[in-house]
């Protein structure tokens, strides 16, 4: 299964929340470079932050859900 990056984070907590919400929706995903960015945060920008990797076949749905999450969060 091929994975593609769909979003990048500088904050581990935010990345973990989005990851969990997507996994609850049945999206196959994981965080790339989470250890590097949390152990050595000064490297985060140089490695591109924490990348949310999603199964290529589910990337479009994941992006739709992320937009929905953002919309619901901004309405609260």
């Amino acid at each position: 299964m091929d994975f593609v990056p769909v979003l990048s984070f500088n904050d581990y907590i935010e990345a973990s929340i989005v990851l969990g919400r997507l996994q609850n929706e049945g999206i196959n995903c994981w965080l790339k470079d989470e250890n590097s960015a949390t152990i050595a945060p000064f490297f985060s920008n140089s490695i591109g932050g924490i990348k949310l990797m999603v199964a290529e076949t589910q990337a479009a749905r994941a992006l739709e859900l992320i937009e929905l999450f953002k919309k619901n969060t901004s309405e609260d």
Side-chain angles (χ1 to χ4, degrees):
M1 179 176 302
D2 291 329
F3 288 84
V4 294
V6 296
L7 197 56
S8 180
F9 302 89
N10 289 323
D11 179 16
Y12 173 76
I13 295 171
E14 183 182 1
S16 294
I17 290 170
V18 173
L19 174 76
R21 292 186 75 178
L22 288 175
Q23 288 175 333
N24 285 339
E25 295 290 334
I27 302 294
N28 190 0
C29 55
W30 56 282
L31 298 175
K32 181 178 180 180
D33 296 327
E34 67 179 307
N35 289 334
S36 299
T38 53
I39 292 171
F42 46 89
F43 285 130
S44 184
N45 285 338
S46 64
I47 61 172
I50 300 168
K51 293 165 237 19
L52 177 64
M53 305 297 290
V54 175
E56 190 170 22
T57 58
Q58 296 177 311
R61 177 68 179 144
L63 289 170
E64 290 173 6
L65 289 169
I66 291 167
E67 285 303 313
L68 183 62
F69 300 156
K70 287 180 183 179
K71 181 181 176 188
N72 289 340
T73 301
S74 66
E75 290 177 358
D76 291 342

